Amino acid sequence: MCRIPACVFRGKDYTGSMPAIRLFGLPTDVNSSFERGAAGGPAAIRAALRSDRGNMASELGPEIGTDIAFTDDGDLPLTEHVAHDDAAIRRHVAMLHEDGEIPIALGGDHAVTFPLVEAAAACFGPLNILHIDAHPDLYDDFGGNPRSHASPFARICEAGHAARLVQVGIRTLNRHCATQADRFGVEIVPMAGFVPEAVPVLSGPLYISIDLDGLDPSAAPGVAHPEPGGLTVRELLAVLHRQCAPIVGADIVEHHPGRDIGGVTAIVGAKLVRELAALIDRNGYWRG
Amino acid sequence: MCRIPACVFRGKDYTGSMPAIRLFGLPTDVNSSFERGAAGGPAAIRAALRSDRGNMASELGPEIGTDIAFTDDGDLPLTEHVAHDDAAIRRHVAMLHEDGEIPIALGGDHAVTFPLVEAAAACFGPLNILHIDAHPDLYDDFGGNPRSHASPFARICEAGHAARLVQVGIRTLNRHCATQADRFGVEIVPMAGFVPEAVPVLSGPLYISIDLDGLDPSAAPGVAHPEPGGLTVRELLAVLHRQCAPIVGADIVEHHPGRDIGGVTAIVGAKLVRELAALIDRNGYWRG
Amino acid sequence: MCRIPACVFRGKDYTGSMPAIRLFGLPTDVNSSFERGAAGGPAAIRAALRSDRGNMASELGPEIGTDIAFTDDGDLPLTEHVAHDDAAIRRHVAMLHEDGEIPIALGGDHAVTFPLVEAAAACFGPLNILHIDAHPDLYDDFGGNPRSHASPFARICEAGHAARLVQVGIRTLNRHCATQADRFGVEIVPMAGFVPEAVPVLSGPLYISIDLDGLDPSAAPGVAHPEPGGLTVRELLAVLHRQCAPIVGADIVEHHPGRDIGGVTAIVGAKLVRELAALIDRNGYWRG
Amino acid sequence: MCRIPACVFRGKDYTGSMPAIRLFGLPTDVNSSFERGAAGGPAAIRAALRSDRGNMASELGPEIGTDIAFTDDGDLPLTEHVAHDDAAIRRHVAMLHEDGEIPIALGGDHAVTFPLVEAAAACFGPLNILHIDAHPDLYDDFGGNPRSHASPFARICEAGHAARLVQVGIRTLNRHCATQADRFGVEIVPMAGFVPEAVPVLSGPLYISIDLDGLDPSAAPGVAHPEPGGLTVRELLAVLHRQCAPIVGADIVEHHPGRDIGGVTAIVGAKLVRELAALIDRNGYWRG
Amino acid sequence: MCRIPACVFRGKDYTGSMPAIRLFGLPTDVNSSFERGAAGGPAAIRAALRSDRGNMASELGPEIGTDIAFTDDGDLPLTEHVAHDDAAIRRHVAMLHEDGEIPIALGGDHAVTFPLVEAAAACFGPLNILHIDAHPDLYDDFGGNPRSHASPFARICEAGHAARLVQVGIRTLNRHCATQADRFGVEIVPMAGFVPEAVPVLSGPLYISIDLDGLDPSAAPGVAHPEPGGLTVRELLAVLHRQCAPIVGADIVEHHPGRDIGGVTAIVGAKLVRELAALIDRNGYWRG
Amino acid sequence: MCRIPACVFRGKDYTGSMPAIRLFGLPTDVNSSFERGAAGGPAAIRAALRSDRGNMASELGPEIGTDIAFTDDGDLPLTEHVAHDDAAIRRHVAMLHEDGEIPIALGGDHAVTFPLVEAAAACFGPLNILHIDAHPDLYDDFGGNPRSHASPFARICEAGHAARLVQVGIRTLNRHCATQADRFGVEIVPMAGFVPEAVPVLSGPLYISIDLDGLDPSAAPGVAHPEPGGLTVRELLAVLHRQCAPIVGADIVEHHPGRDIGGVTAIVGAKLVRELAALIDRNGYWRG
């Protein structure tokens, strides 16, 4: 059950121990259906995060790296062999969870979310997932590939990893994906008349997956499948900041630097790293 | 899965057959915890519905009784023996469902919703329930009475009749009821920052239960437990009109004529009868 | 054509001469269809206007009677003979227009708006009319009476007195009146999703007719036909304050003191007198 | 008269016959006042429409080409001789109307709207026109050219083709065009405080003309005259989806690919083709 | 400087000691200008607070008296001798502050706010004051009485007790009070276009004074000077809940039971006691 | 004290004499901390202002240069010697104020605001400053430079030139600057839940400083420090148009043409020149 005011009095006082946050990149786009390029995402977002164009303040207050424990582990060594890469991702996430640390992964295409969620569900049980995207990514397969970046949430639902899957930003829902959404009980928040208050406040354990094409192309042009009519950055921040439950993992995927303009999508990605880190820190540990 | 635009193209053209709507009253307040009076609700709302102060137009367009088949069956003969009355209510609803007709019940106190929902679930399986109220009505018992008007949704959840229970208007959530809501997986839409878009669009089979104290006391003073800070009539209508799924039953409860002022709560009740009838008609039959 | 910013730079500096405003009452309810009582409206509103419960400040800034020339002429001597009374009303309004003064009339039932508009149109030609009401008042006749308070805007449209008729607050539109509205080209601003910005900013010459049942019954219970779901006072003020065109007449009708609660509807009526006076003053003279 | 709820119950059930939609391009910019380039618009938008970057789902639900009959006729063979080209456009549209088909034209500069509207008015009589633009396009002439892309709506109004002309997005209204707007009775929805609900819901026969510079330059940079402060894509979609009347024609004009960035304006154009097609289909045939 | 997100991470964990809250009544209306009656306010609000019509849950989460230390001290023994009563009020408040307790006072008319603020300022220095009211209460004197209930904030400003005075709900600002407001640097949040976000988030030490006529008469009819167009209860709660600074005192004044309807204003008063108590508790101690 | 309606009746009638507006450029970026480029701003904005892509209409109504006296003085001859340049700026502004003319300066980096404000404060005393920016620019020094473009408002506050400093758009507030803001009493309007109504309406003498990175990067990409989540152009215009007080100076700074895309940031800068000119004209002269 969600109660917004709870956010406030269940806050923390920064005197106790808090979750350490571990950032890592997944530079792969082997499962992209139309145009590769997302493998360059981690490097571009990391460069923006370190640049003096911005600073490390988050809009929630604390500074990343100063007030909040935050480490960048670099990129995992991926191979384009999907099974091998999936195993490497699961191992890395499992290791972090064992140490009580919370992962933020930088894609790569959206196919990486399947092993990321699988590892978190292995540790915490079925997750409540907040999924930001222009597309539902529910294809049974795409062009014959069941691990396509258009299919991860079909895999996640079939495997029973989602207690609740809430999708925000969807504006390309064709017949096949609508059927899949009905079948899996996916909750799609309509974009017609969208307000951040329309997104449910989920309970924990919470996983957040952000495909940058959920944002409007004016805010995030550097993606393979720009779809007009998306979220503004302020709307996305409002959706995130309303979430009060402990977060057990997050990813930011599908940045395609080859289509970016003036580096603005990478800058958005870096800002989302800061805001997710501050949110993970604020919401605290999940204790089932 | 909810898709608002679907409301529009899945409309009907009024040439085919549509559900007939059957109104009936349940003049009982034996399960009221603090002050009886809700037994007078059906008569007062019926009088307002028939008065020339208003007309039979609904805000969705059609006129009740002209464009929409609508019958008022009068009040059921209740006895203040709860088990007997529950059985009578269940029998009446079952009979209507057999004939393909949709019930709108006028309470009475909120305890009547338990047999109403039970009868609908017997016919359609677990329901998605939209519950408008100032109070969650989730007490395990109240003053020792497990059938108290403060308890119907505890009974409904325990019996497994609610696939999903969404509560709107809640602004008196104490510790005990918060625990019950967590236990039953109730979804409470917060009143802080409320907008109608924050209420999920539910799938069918849909049941709607309106406790008039969900409205602000300025709009509906004639209730036993007025609680400031409630919905406006326009907000309630917006919540209702957004719902696109076929409706299998509805109730309007807790009007206490002895506390009404200028008959305005009865007039609101009558308007809600018209709007629910038009909504049932628009959304069409449920075909599992 | 409407341009909001024009409100600002077409303002005035209070050094030149401005329209004098003349208030008068029309204590008649002979054309009420369901329940008489509106004849008591002028006395009740006048008492509230003079009471020390309030003061003479308007929300637009100036004080009525101090910064703005404002006279109360008392009530016209009406007779319940409709033709005689209509002529008396027309004569009084014509006399004011000859002197360059602007009338605000207090009904009485809504039937008085027909002679009021007729007199203004005789002086200024077809008017743009802003009509606030729960009901469209477009019946061809009501109970055989073509001068019923449910019919004035049918008469006004037939006579060609309305260049444009914009109705705000309508929430009882039955089949007959919908047909009449189509026939006369009436613009009805829908209450579903209502915001003040949805009301067009009209050009001059502008006439404003306010039936107090356009407001929600919580704000104005003292009317014969309360209909839930109406405008708040703030919404009505926002609708009025957006209007920039010179106003050639206004009325406030259908206050039924016998149904009022704590005098609040009379107080609303008195506030609307002040706000209309300040608006007439701000928007200045119409010079065709 | 506009009644939003009518959208719902006047929907269709997809069992009867629906209007077929015919897309065609008008690759001309001979009437552009400042910088040519819009002749490249049809090719760019068509390429985006066919690209696998997007899909054929519309936000109203149905898929274009699958659920909705939709044909792309390619470009008309234009010559830069205005009179010749106008005649060709009128002939093509007239032929479609004879077959009960609805045209969506891709400009080209805005001058093409004059023959498009002229042909529709020849078939249906004066139209209600919804015009999205940063500029009112009401110049009596521009640089001596009465057929300039800054003048089509002056020509349309003079010819009596507009029963009602509603302009949305205007934010460059100079003295001359304000005078023209007053003269022609154009209704301009102010951008100050804009909300989609402020746009009237028009009755049929409805014509929709979209100059892409009505959108904000962040959403549609590929235009000759970008003007900051325009509509977002979501606002434009909300304006369109509110319209319930049968549509007899539509155009999307002024895309200038030479100024586009990352192809995003062409993608917006393609999305608007899909949404207009779904809207035409939903609203059904006009039967005067 | 105000930073909303700070509310969240500067929250508390309910393991440490929190301010105890002390409620007391001030049954006096000797300084009322028009109609006495506010002396009955404390008894009426206290009765509503204790009634089983409601419960002790606050919308911020905790229950009053269970989760939060809360004592009702009854009414102070006042005498209608203003100087004597002022001294009694100051002594009582000073005593509470010495014990680290926070007072919530129930008026009585608004004149009591002067000694209440004076005592708080003696302890904490100049205060930031959030003042909810229909009237600015800034008269130099009213009818010759400088201690009139229309004058307390003139006295407070002259005495230098207000570091910042923010007024919300004002809709009766006449020339004299506008001049006073300019002179004292009062910040009046306009009611035209009011949204809760327009009210500044003040820093501590914060004092909150609520005249119930700041609310709309539909929500709080039981006041001597009802003025239409006021705040809704939800808007007032949103204004309060946004305030993050430690609170050193609060009052709720001007309830006139003789004008109440169905006891709803007393119920609103009781709800505000609960919400103020929860807010004082959440925001914690002021440590200069 | 702010009273919105005052905007309206304190307007002007364009028959008297109004302030002449003088535009000049300050092509300097010697105090930029990260990347120079802002020296090219004046030329780029001036080119957009003169281009036939746009026109000279303002959204407030009047045309610049036609209805409003407006002169472009070209660029001041700056030298990269800060003290020399500061003196040149102060002399130029002082000269304009002596002639009763109002300056609009085009930066240049934000360091130029210090001498601009200093000169205005020398003439008018402490100013109320509305500051639009992504960054608070309150660093005590940045990289050892106390005149850095990250420090002007620290210098302004220390010098006592700001009666009130209101910052809008801030979304990078780190620990150091939060401390500075507390120390100087800066009022920061939070971006979380931002609405234009949340910005106070300031009294005169008013100075407006617009750093273009206060806007969202989608609207103004041509800046050295783009920060996602900023104001839309419509939000900024709403903030400006709400201000009613006489303006004594304004600047538009930090346009970096080397990072612009399609010239859109220069076009925004030119639009803001027009809107500031119309606002200065509308609000009239400051007479202490």
Side-chain angles (χ1 to χ4, degrees), chain B residues 188-218:
Chain B
I188 299 181
V189 180
M191 278 311 285
F194 179 78
V195 288
E197 289 80 4
V199 180
V201 177
L202 294 165
S203 57
L206 177 61
Y207 187 94
I208 298 177
S209 179
I210 302 176
D211 184 323
L212 287 165
D213 67 23
L215 290 166
D216 195 70
S218 60

Side-chain angles (χ1 to χ4, degrees), chain B residues 35 175 224-225 227 229 261, chain E residues 53 63 67 234 261 271:
Chain B
E35 183 178 87
R175 190 84 14 141
H225 299 271
E227 177 71 27
I261 300 167
Chain E
R53 277 200 205 286
E63 289 184 56
D67 302 313
R234 288 243 69 80
I261 300 168
K271 185 178 183 87

Side-chain angles (χ1 to χ4, degrees), chain A residues 53 59 63 67 234 261 271, chain F residues 35 175 224-225 227 229:
Chain A
R53 277 199 205 286
E59 295 202 11
E63 288 185 57
D67 303 312
R234 287 244 68 81
I261 299 168
K271 185 178 184 87
Chain F
E35 184 178 87
R175 189 82 18 140
H225 300 271
E227 178 70 26

Side-chain angles (χ1 to χ4, degrees), chain F residues 57-139:
Chain F
S58 71
E59 295 202 13
L60 284 177
E63 289 185 58
I64 311 311
T66 308
D67 301 313
I68 292 177
F70 177 91
T71 315
D72 179 355
D73 296 335
D75 294 347
L76 259 60
L78 302 185
T79 63
E80 300 218 343
H81 296 282
V82 176
H84 173 278
D85 289 355
D86 283 4
I89 293 169
R90 283 195 305 263
R91 268 199 314 277
H92 188 72
V93 171
M95 182 195 73
L96 296 181
H97 286 317
E98 270 172 40
D99 295 347
E101 295 175 322
I102 307 296
I104 299 178
L106 298 177
D109 66 43
H110 219 151
V112 301
T113 299
F114 179 52
L116 288 167
V117 162
E118 203 163 41
C123 182
F124 299 99
L127 311 173
N128 290 312
I129 302 178
L130 176 63
H131 171 204
I132 313 295
D133 206 324
H135 317 85
D137 290 2
L138 289 166
Y139 276 93

Side-chain angles (χ1 to χ4, degrees), chain C residues 51-55 57-59 61-63 67 218-219 233-234 237 241 261-264 267-268 271 274-275, chain E residues 34-35 135 139 171-176 191-194 216-218 223-230 259 261:
Chain C
S51 166
D52 282 339
R53 279 203 204 283
N55 66 17
S58 71
E59 295 202 12
E63 288 185 58
D67 302 312
S218 60
V233 170
R234 288 243 68 80
L237 292 178
H241 291 166
I261 301 168
V264 72
I267 292 173
V268 167
K271 185 176 183 88
R274 293 196 304 271
E275 296 302 323
Chain E
F34 172 70
E35 184 178 86
H135 317 84
Y139 276 93
R171 48 203 189 279
T172 59
L173 189 70
N174 61 12
R175 190 79 21 136
H176 171 68
M191 279 310 285
F194 179 79
D216 195 70
S218 59
V223 296
H225 300 270
E227 178 71 26
R259 287 186 53 80
I261 300 168

Side-chain angles (χ1 to χ4, degrees), chain B residues 94-158:
Chain B
M95 183 194 73
L96 296 181
H97 286 318
E98 268 172 42
D99 295 347
E101 295 175 321
I102 307 295
I104 300 178
L106 298 178
D109 66 43
H110 218 151
V112 301
T113 299
F114 179 51
L116 289 167
V117 162
E118 203 162 40
C123 182
F124 299 100
L127 310 172
N128 290 312
I129 302 178
L130 177 62
H131 170 203
I132 313 295
D133 206 325
H135 316 85
D137 289 0
L138 289 166
Y139 276 93
D140 193 37
D141 69 280
F142 196 90
N145 178 11
R147 285 287 284 113
S148 161
H149 75 152
S151 303
F153 290 93
R155 296 296 85 73
I156 286 168
C157 289
E158 286 167 357

